[in-house]
Amino acid sequence: MKPQPTAPRRRGRKERADGRSRREELLRAAATLFAERGYRDTSIADVAMRVGVTQQALLYYFGSKVGLLHAVIDARDDESLRFVEELAALGGVRALDKLPDFARRNIADPNLARLFAVLLAENLNPGDLAHDHFVQRYRNLRAVVAALVEQGQHTGDFAPTIDPTLKAIEIVAFIEGVNTQWLLDPDSIDLQAVTDSFTHDLIRSLTAN
């Protein structure tokens, strides 16, 4: 009787799973090192050494250091944007009530906030490797926030005189600004308390007649 060809398929699945696991491990290591040192001061060798693989193994997954940078940003952006989209799906007051969850997420994983702060500072100028990515990221973020304000206006939760675009800029500016202050001086900034206070005042201003 011929043996059933199940073993090769199992090995193939295991190899793919191992490959995904190793890629995720490299992404986590790169994100940590970029947050600690910045992209420019982190080498491919640094990331490979942190995981215990060769530089060639890392390049197999990402192609280049630039490819690794974009993979790190995309992975972390996906997490942040999923959360924002969940808020947008709620809309109105219910969405803004969840705004303090941003603070809880950053307190639980400060490296995520630090990573974006460091990489953003390295990509402020047009022509920088990830400049266009960050421009588009903030455009998308402001658009989602503006949409949840507009939804609140349609349901009557928020005053119709509010400019959703301007309010979105204000909300995003608060989140990014307070995160930066907290990262610089965490002993002096109670991130959760100040976010709770901002959210309370924001909802009150949006619902004022």
Side-chain angles (χ1 to χ4, degrees):
M1 179 182 293
K2 286 186 177 181
Q4 296 300 313
T6 55
R9 288 202 295 269
R10 283 199 296 269
R11 286 199 297 271
R13 288 196 294 270
K14 183 178 186 303
E15 288 170 1
R16 289 193 295 272
D18 289 346
R20 287 193 296 270
S21 176
R22 180 51 53 86
R23 187 178 188 277
E24 289 301 315
E25 191 177 4
L26 287 164
L27 282 174
R28 288 193 297 270
T32 298
L33 288 170
F34 291 167
E36 292 172 355
R37 309 177 187 177
Y39 170 79
R40 296 189 181 98
D41 290 332
T42 300
S43 69
I44 288 288
D46 293 330
V47 180
M49 186 180 301
R50 177 67 65 95
V51 177
V53 301
T54 65
Q55 295 181 52
Q56 289 74 18
L58 186 151
L59 293 173
Y60 169 79
Y61 291 105
F62 303 104
S64 66
K65 186 182 176 185
V66 174
L68 176 61
L69 171 66
H70 285 291
V72 167
I73 293 174
D74 286 342
R76 298 306 179 256
D77 261 356
D78 287 346
E79 294 177 17
S80 298
L81 288 176
R82 273 197 301 271
F83 178 70
V84 173
E85 288 168 356
E86 288 172 7
L87 295 190
L90 293 173
V93 173
R94 287 197 305 156
L96 294 184
D97 275 336
K98 296 288 187 180
L99 196 59
D101 286 352
F102 272 114
R104 282 185 277 275
R105 283 161 52 90
N106 287 338
I107 291 168
D109 186 9
N111 266 347
L112 178 61
R114 187 175 295 109
L115 174 66
F116 275 121
V118 170
L119 292 181
L120 178 62
E122 290 186 324
N123 289 280
L124 291 175
N125 296 318
D128 287 338
L129 290 173
H131 174 81
D132 291 346
H133 182 105
F134 279 104
V135 169
Q136 191 60 50
R137 175 183 185 267
Y138 281 105
R139 286 177 179 171
N140 292 342
L141 184 56
R142 292 193 301 269
V144 171
V145 175
L148 72 84
V149 173
E150 289 177 345
Q151 186 175 348
Q153 290 176 317
H154 292 155
T155 60
D157 286 344
F158 299 151
T161 54
I162 300 294
D163 185 320
T165 299
L166 293 179
K167 188 57 65 174
I169 294 171
E170 176 187 329
I171 293 169
V172 173
F174 165 78
I175 293 170
E176 298 297 322
V178 75
N179 282 337
T180 299
Q181 292 184 63
W182 170 67
L183 289 169
L184 285 168
D185 191 8
D187 291 335
S188 298
I189 303 292
D190 186 334
L191 183 61
Q192 191 65 65
V194 73
T195 305
D196 290 344
S197 176
F198 173 82
T199 301
H200 174 77
D201 291 343
L202 173 65
I203 293 174
R204 186 172 58 185
S205 71
L206 285 168
T207 55
N209 293 322

